């Protein structure tokens, strides 16, 4: 039981390049989330997916797109990377949308640098 | 954007000291508050899920209380140990922000042996 896995762990991009961050969970959770974490700041929600087939914007969605490929996988895409997107990205999942009070389980993070 | 504040930002204590820190959140439309523990180079892990005013939760030497009417939660650590060194995050969920948890910036605790 791996929990929440993310790939890659590290990535360096040049401004304007695109990439997709992958996330998968094996806990049969319905809801999945993408956060970014910047120095001195807490986690900020980028996008979330309440259930397979649905996605919604979080606090900081600009410059990102997501795909809930199936119940297990939730990917985050940067179409044209910018230095402001340099951050650590965390994927998380919960049994159901947070409104049920379910805690989130986090992946190990992807450290992204955009030069 | 909901305002969730944690204080202090950082804390340095000696092994054996007891400590506490605060998470403040909007008192209206409360649904739940989560506490997470985040060790360096690891991922955040859930400590407590708190949903009722007056809730008190305990896990070993760590406990938390909740006051939804005045909009705060306290996290207490009794007899701090070096392995308690971590950043402690709170996450607020409101009825009006369905599905979105708003995290505070965290309190970073360092326990010196």
């Amino acid at each position: 039981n791996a929990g929440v896995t993310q790939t890659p762990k590290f990535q360096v991009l040049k401004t304007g390049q695109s990439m997709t961050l992958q996330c998968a969970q094996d806990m049969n959770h319905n809801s999945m989330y993408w956060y970014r974490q910047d120095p001195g700041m807490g986690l900020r929600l980028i996008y979330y997916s309440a259930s397979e087939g649905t996605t919604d914007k979080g606090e900081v969605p600009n410059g990102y797109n997501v795909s809930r490929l199936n119940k297990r996988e939730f990917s985050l895409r940067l179409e044209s990377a910018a230095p402001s997107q340099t951050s650590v990205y965390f994927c998380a999942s919960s049994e159901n949308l947070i409104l049920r009070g379910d805690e989130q389980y986090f992946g190990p993070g992807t450290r992204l640098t955009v030069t | 954007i909901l305002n969730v504040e944690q204080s202090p930002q950082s804390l340095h204590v000696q092994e054996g000291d007891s400590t506490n820190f605060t998470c403040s959140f909007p008192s209206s439309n409360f649904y739940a508050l989560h506490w997470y523990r985040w060790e360096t180079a690891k991922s955040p892990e859930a400590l407590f899920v708190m949903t009722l005013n007056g809730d008190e939760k305990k896990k070993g030497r760590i406990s938390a209380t909740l006051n939804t009417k005045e909009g705060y939660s306290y996290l207490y650590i009794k007899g701090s140990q070096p392995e308690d060194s971590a950043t402690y995050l709170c996450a607020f969920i409101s009825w009006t922000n369905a599905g979105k948890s708003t995290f505070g910036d965290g309190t970073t605790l360092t326990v010196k042996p």
Side-chain angles (χ1 to χ4, degrees):
Chain A
N1 193 344
V4 180
T5 57
Q6 292 182 234
T7 55
K9 290 187 177 176
F10 302 94
Q11 184 72 50
V12 179
L13 291 178
K14 294 185 178 178
T15 298
Q17 287 185 315
S18 62
M19 79 161 294
T20 300
L21 281 64
Q22 306 288 352
C23 174
Q25 52 89 12
D26 62 2
M27 296 174 282
N28 202 35
H29 285 171
N30 288 303
S31 304
M32 298 184 73
Y33 316 85
W34 275 105
Y35 292 92
R36 60 178 289 173
Q37 195 263 330
D38 299 300
M41 301 182 73
L43 295 163
R44 291 185 292 168
L45 185 65
I46 304 171
Y47 270 94
Y48 68 102
S49 170
S51 60
E52 186 179 353
T54 69
T55 61
D56 282 287
K57 295 179 181 179
E59 185 184 347
V60 288
N62 291 344
Y64 305 95
N65 284 301
V66 290
S67 294
R68 183 75 183 266
L69 303 169
N70 46 55
K71 191 172 185 179
R72 288 188 66 248
E73 298 172 289
F74 188 38
S75 63
L76 179 72
R77 182 161 178 84
L78 287 71
E79 291 290 352
S80 179
S84 60
Q85 294 178 304
T86 294
S87 189
V88 182
Y89 291 85
F90 287 93
C91 177
S93 70
S94 65
E95 188 171 345
N96 280 294
L97 194 63
I98 294 172
L99 268 183
R100 272 262 310 262
D102 297 328
E103 67 266 37
Q104 294 174 73
Y105 294 81
F106 286 83
T110 294
R111 187 173 294 274
L112 176 67
T113 302
V114 183
T115 61
Chain B
I1 297 176
L2 299 171
N3 196 24
V4 179
E5 295 185 351
Q6 292 188 247
S7 61
Q9 187 175 12
S10 63
L11 202 52
H12 295 256
V13 301
Q14 290 293 135
E15 182 175 355
D17 288 349
S18 293
T19 186
N20 66 85
F21 23 93
T22 307
C23 173
S24 301
F25 50 84
S27 56
S28 58
N29 300 306
F30 175 88
Y31 183 79
L33 187 89
H34 298 172
W35 279 100
Y36 291 85
R37 169 192 164 88
W38 192 358
E39 292 181 69
T40 303
K42 294 188 177 180
S43 309
E45 291 185 351
L47 279 173
F48 302 118
V49 173
M50 310 184 81
T51 56
L52 297 174
N53 185 42
D55 253 358
E56 293 189 22
K57 303 269 182 168
K58 187 174 182 180
K59 188 179 287 188
R61 293 178 291 98
I62 304 177
S63 60
T65 61
L66 178 67
N67 184 324
T68 61
K69 293 183 179 180
E70 296 184 33
Y72 65 84
S73 176
Y74 292 141
L75 191 78
Y76 300 90
I77 303 178
K78 184 177 179 182
S80 303
Q81 300 297 311
E83 57 265 30
D84 295 327
S85 297
T87 295
Y88 293 84
L89 295 172
C90 66
F92 169 71
I93 302 101
S94 80
W95 284 108
T96 59
N97 209 26
K100 306 175 189 178
S101 57
T102 302
F103 281 83
D105 289 345
T107 292
T108 299
L109 175 67
T110 304
V111 183
K112 301 175 186 175

